[in-house]
Amino acid sequence: MSAPEEQGHRRRIPRRVRTRRRRERWIRRALAAVLALIMLLCGAVVVAYLLTGVPEPHPETVSQSTVFLDADGEYLGRRGPVDRQDVPLSEVPRRVQDAVIAAENRSFRTDSGISPSAVVRAAVSTLSGGARQGGSTITQQYVKNALLSPEQSLSRKAREALIAVKLDRTRSKDSILEGYLNTVYFGRGAAGIESAARNYFGVDAKDLTLAQGAALAAIINLPSYYERAGADAKVTATLEKRWSWVLDGMRTSGTITAKERLAAAFPAFRFYPPGNTDGQRQYLIDAAATEAADRLGITADQLARGGYTVRTTFDLAAQQATAEQVRGAPAARKGTRLHTAVVALVPGDGAVRVLYGGADYARQPFNDAVNGAVEAGTALDPFRAVRFTGPLATLSRTAAPSPLRLASAYAATVAGGTYAKPYTVAKITRGGRTSYTARPDTRRVVASVQAQMLTKYTGAAGAMGYFSGGAGSGPGARTLWQTTSGGRLSVTVALFAEYPAAGKRPARPAHLPDTAPYLAAGLTESARPRPSKYPPPGAREYTR
């Protein structure tokens, strides 16, 4: 066809057809470009996924605190930079696990680790400068809390999603849930389910009820607000509504029955903020922490960050009764300060039940019972006529022994001349495994004949022995020692007074008040509130 003929042919094609054809060509080109862009983006995502590794947890999420308990398992306190202790998922009741899933991510067991709608919502909010968006899955929350920085940026959110997907594909759901429960913040300074159970309800995670678990699950949403539950009526009422919503979600998903839902009652919380209980407990924790670190062969800092549970030998009720007895005593002479030390030991075993070394740790961290040197005077009379060996060999020549050392000597008298090294740590566990169990360290320090002389001298042959001594006498007494001993417990009390240091003038001894003998007598009783609960010498029931 010649050029003129071709030009004529084009003129014969309607303009409408030519326009449609051009539009179709542009649509095909646009679709091809979009498809290429999608393929490019998918390739970039695949490459990014392959290049993205799962980072190690932040040091602060790995660090744990060490918890101290008394002989009956009563919580004493903790040491460490953060109030957190890891527990295996097997120690978290299934109902509590289900409550957290119902509160935070109901599709957790079946999702891929991310919520696409939540990711898009968060991206739009970030790009538009809007408020922070929630809705992340449990896997994403774990990645954010434990593996990534808390910054709010689009790149960090994208990395969070990639890591969450990879985590979901490389680890089991139980492993992810365990990590989440051990790192999520619950308020009241508690990171992780174990510390939260203790701070809110005074129990271990394994002992949480359905109602308590649902309450903790509800708290995760706004921990800094809900931590006052039980102390603030408005906060408590708001939390109860969310608690009901969590339980309703569990009922809908079939993880609890209708009967269990109806039976659930909103739980009672421990008071918050807690009262000032550190005045005595810190003395006990100091002594036990020093001993525990020594037993494990680690530093005090390693112990504090190690996530150990230290079961001590202390009787917290007796310790508090002793503190109350001292607080209720008449004041010391004007211008003087009265010091009190009380040590209660199990004869023949060495377990320390009471270790009172000061009225308030915050004002006097020095423990008079452990480190104090108290003028003995006539308190050493029973031991001057016998010859001790071993740890007590130099006792009779020591003018000012520590109350703990003299208490161990009187306990040896009750045990027929068998010395038991005082100890404050009964058992140490970590992650459900026992790291250390105490065994009495005993040895005979005096011959049998001389032991009988000591027993006769101190009056300890019967069910209860009593001995009183000190330095000075009557109104001029400078120290007062008193020991009451029986087969199950030996209690030693030491009282002394001083004129506190002032300026360049050092502290110096002062006379005891006339009421000192009455205080000493009361203290020997307060340290023995329930003697029947103590095991016989050498028994190990309290290390359970």
Side-chain angles (χ1 to χ4, degrees), residues 134-219:
S136 298
T137 65
I138 282 177
T139 307
Q140 286 177 269
Q141 290 183 59
Y142 172 60
V143 170
K144 177 180 64 178
N145 294 338
L147 309 181
L148 293 179
S149 64
E151 66 172 311
Q152 294 297 311
S153 66
L154 189 59
S155 61
R156 193 210 59 79
K157 194 70 179 177
R159 187 162 181 247
E160 172 192 302
L162 287 172
I163 294 174
V165 172
K166 178 161 283 190
L167 205 64
D168 188 78
R169 292 175 63 88
T170 57
R171 296 188 189 177
S172 68
K173 290 290 187 179
D174 281 351
S175 175
I176 295 170
L177 184 60
E178 179 179 301
Y180 175 75
L181 289 174
N182 280 320
T183 54
V184 67
Y185 183 63
F186 285 88
R188 296 196 179 189
I193 190 74
E194 177 74 0
S195 295
R198 187 184 304 116
N199 288 4
Y200 281 94
F201 302 111
V203 300
D204 293 333
K206 62 183 175 61
D207 298 320
L208 286 168
T209 65
L210 168 62
Q212 291 170 337
L216 291 180
I219 286 169

Side-chain angles (χ1 to χ4, degrees), residues 8 35 63 66 93 119 156 171 210 224 238 280 373 398 400 426 471 481 501 513:
L35 181 60
S63 179
T66 286
V119 172
R156 193 210 59 79
R171 296 188 189 177
L210 168 62
S224 60
T238 305
Q280 281 304 304
T398 306
W481 291 84

Side-chain angles (χ1 to χ4, degrees), residues 125-476:
S125 177
T126 302
L127 291 173
S128 63
R132 176 185 172 188
Q133 293 292 317
S136 298
T137 65
I138 282 177
T139 307
Q140 286 177 269
Q141 290 183 59
Y142 172 60
V143 170
K144 177 180 64 178
N145 294 338
L147 309 181
L148 293 179
S149 64
E151 66 172 311
Q152 294 297 311
S153 66
L154 189 59
S155 61
R156 193 210 59 79
K157 194 70 179 177
R159 187 162 181 247
E160 172 192 302
L162 287 172
I163 294 174
V165 172
K166 178 161 283 190
L167 205 64
D168 188 78
R169 292 175 63 88
T170 57
R171 296 188 189 177
S172 68
K173 290 290 187 179
D174 281 351
S175 175
I176 295 170
L177 184 60
E178 179 179 301
Y180 175 75
L181 289 174
N182 280 320
T183 54
V184 67
Y185 183 63
F186 285 88
R188 296 196 179 189
I193 190 74
E194 177 74 0
S195 295
R198 187 184 304 116
N199 288 4
Y200 281 94
F201 302 111
V203 300
D204 293 333
K206 62 183 175 61
D207 298 320
L208 286 168
T209 65
L210 168 62
Q212 291 170 337
L216 291 180
I219 286 169
I220 294 174
N221 178 249
L222 285 173
S224 60
Y225 175 74
Y226 289 132
E227 67 182 3
R228 294 192 61 81
D232 185 303
K234 182 179 179 181
V235 171
T236 304
T238 305
L239 179 61
E240 186 170 2
K241 292 179 181 177
R242 182 167 174 79
W243 171 82
S244 295
W245 174 79
V246 171
L247 288 174
D248 289 342
M250 296 179 71
R251 176 69 193 99
T252 301
S253 64
T255 55
I256 60 173
T257 64
K259 184 178 179 180
E260 288 174 317
R261 174 64 186 94
L262 290 173
F266 192 60
F269 296 85
R270 295 183 71 185
F271 182 76
Y272 183 81
N276 182 18
T277 59
D278 286 346
Q280 281 304 304
R281 298 184 186 211
Q282 289 303 322
Y283 288 114
L284 307 183
I285 293 172
D286 260 5
T290 299
E291 184 177 326
D294 181 65
R295 298 301 186 200
L296 295 174
I298 59 178
T299 66
D301 184 64
Q302 288 173 324
L303 176 75
R305 296 171 179 269
Y308 296 95
T309 296
V310 179
R311 176 71 71 95
T312 70
T313 61
F314 301 122
D315 182 337
L316 183 57
Q319 184 80 19
Q320 292 174 335
T322 300
E324 288 295 328
Q325 185 76 24
V326 175
R327 277 194 289 269
R333 295 175 187 269
K334 186 176 180 180
T336 67
R337 181 181 177 189
L338 180 65
H339 288 258
T340 305
V342 182
V343 180
L345 293 168
V346 177
D349 182 283
V352 180
R353 299 302 188 197
V354 173
L355 194 66
Y356 181 94
D360 187 354
Y361 185 89
R363 288 185 291 178
Q364 180 196 307
F366 182 85
N367 192 321
D368 283 323
V370 177
N371 302 309
V374 184
E375 189 178 10
T378 59
L380 287 176
D381 283 353
F383 310 118
R384 290 193 171 110
V386 299
R387 183 177 180 180
F388 278 118
T389 60
L392 301 181
T394 61
L395 178 64
S396 61
R397 302 189 299 275
T398 306
S402 71
L404 181 60
R405 190 181 187 208
L406 193 55
S408 68
Y410 277 102
T413 301
V414 181
T418 298
Y419 168 85
K421 183 179 179 179
Y423 66 96
T424 64
V425 175
K427 190 175 184 179
I428 305 174
T429 58
R430 185 186 190 190
R433 296 183 178 181
T434 299
S435 303
Y436 169 79
T437 301
R439 294 288 182 267
D441 182 1
T442 62
R443 67 185 71 182
R444 178 166 289 279
V445 293
V446 65
S448 300
V449 175
Q450 292 183 320
Q452 292 174 7
M453 290 172 52
L454 282 174
T455 300
K456 183 177 180 180
Y457 191 93
T458 59
M464 189 69 67
Y466 173 87
F467 183 85
S468 182
S473 59

